Amino acid sequence: AQKVTQAQTEISVVEKEDVTLDCVYETRDTTYYLFWYKQPPSGELVFLIRRNSFDEQNEISGRYSWNFQKSTSSFNFTITASQVVDSAVYFCALSVVDSSYKLIFGSGTRLLVRP
Amino acid sequence: DARVTQTPRHKVTEMGQEVTMRCQPILGHNTVFWYRQTMMQGLELLAYFRNRAPLDDSGMPKDRFSAEMPDATLATLKIQPSEPRDSAVYFCASGLVGGDTEAFFGQGTRLTVV
């Protein structure tokens, strides 16, 4: 069975601090995808990134960076120099490459960035 | 920008009434998902379709929920009869399996059953 764990329920930081959101996943499959989605207060789910299981290179996109480590089954997300607009709930998700490609979500981490 | 469109955005209904939620997936996407989000359960997969055929609806209460794709541009999720415990945000997402595999989500339908 597949599972995604986001142990941090809520994180509060002051603007300009760096913050890391943790994600640990479980799967027996060797081919899978990992995702991060952002859910701002408006409610929509915004796609941030997809990584496949064969690509462990870290990725940076502006203030966002992702650290994928298969050895620890983790796919952590770091926001550098956080801003108030980063306040949202962030979801990590796993998709196994079988017939479904369905997304299995973690419970989410609520990030509050205070001015 | 191509996007998934869901209607209505908000729905308040009385217990026992039928509710139909609609979703227009992104043109060209071959997979459609329905998710439900609640505080207690988080994001749960209710059903999904591939090339309009239902692949799995094991996440849905079968006695009251039904999902269909009458054509490639429309997916529907129906609840009959609705109950207060169905109150949630229902998301539709579409994706292209075999190509980009991220699912793009609609803005959701916030359902309140009173």
Side-chain angles (χ1 to χ4, degrees):
Chain A
Q2 295 87 33
K3 185 179 178 182
V4 176
T5 302
Q6 295 179 255
Q8 304 152 307
T9 305
E10 188 166 323
I11 300 174
S12 180
V13 299
V14 177
E15 204 170 19
K16 297 182 183 171
E17 284 185 16
D18 299 347
V19 58
T20 295
L21 309 181
D22 297 334
C23 173
V24 174
Y25 62 93
E26 296 176 29
T27 180
R28 293 180 181 173
D29 298 87
T30 56
T31 305
Y32 51 89
Y33 289 87
L34 295 164
F35 303 79
W36 277 94
Y37 282 84
K38 174 182 179 180
Q39 188 173 43
S42 54
E44 71 269 32
L45 281 159
V46 179
F47 165 77
L48 294 179
I49 189 172
R50 179 192 78 227
R51 303 294 290 181
N52 73 56
S53 52
F54 299 108
D55 183 1
E56 285 192 74
Q57 280 195 345
N58 291 335
E59 182 154 341
I60 298 174
S61 176
R63 296 183 298 106
Y64 295 171
S65 62
W66 291 269
N67 185 328
F68 176 27
Q69 291 194 337
K70 287 178 79 169
S71 60
T72 56
S73 296
S74 65
F75 185 44
N76 296 337
F77 173 29
T78 297
I79 302 175
T80 303
S82 59
Q83 300 176 0
V84 172
V85 294
D86 296 327
S87 297
V89 181
Y90 291 86
F91 291 94
C92 180
L94 166 71
S95 175
V96 171
V97 181
D98 58 9
S99 61
S100 70
Y101 288 87
K102 60 188 178 185
L103 286 166
I104 298 160
F105 284 89
S107 55
T109 297
R110 181 177 298 278
L111 174 64
L112 176 63
V113 182
R114 308 187 310 276
Chain B
D1 270 350
R3 57 176 57 195
V4 176
T5 303
Q6 288 186 248
T7 55
R9 292 290 313 280
H10 302 273
K11 176 73 176 180
V12 180
T13 191
E14 291 184 349
M15 183 173 62
Q17 296 298 305
E18 177 179 300
V19 175
T20 299
M21 290 170 271
R22 293 177 174 80
C23 167
Q24 181 176 2
I26 293 173
L27 190 64
H29 282 185
N30 60 5
T31 304
V32 173
F33 303 90
W34 282 104
Y35 282 86
R36 175 171 64 183
Q37 185 177 31
T38 61
M39 288 295 293
M40 294 301 296
Q41 301 297 326
L43 279 156
E44 306 172 273
L45 179 65
L46 297 176
Y48 62 94
F49 294 78
R50 176 78 40 75
N51 296 321
R52 294 177 54 202
L55 286 191
D56 186 351
D57 59 1
S58 59
M60 291 197 314
K62 297 290 191 305
D63 56 338
R64 299 184 300 107
F65 284 60
S66 62
E68 296 179 345
M69 272 201 81
D71 61 61
T73 64
L74 178 64
T76 62
L77 179 66
K78 188 176 295 186
I79 308 174
Q80 168 64 23
S82 57
E83 297 180 1
R85 59 179 167 153
D86 301 329
S87 297
V89 180
Y90 291 81
F91 286 101
C92 174
S94 72
L96 181 60
V97 171
D100 294 336
T101 56
E102 62 263 30
F104 292 90
F105 283 78
Q107 292 184 294
T109 294
R110 182 175 296 277
L111 174 66
T112 303
V113 183
V114 298

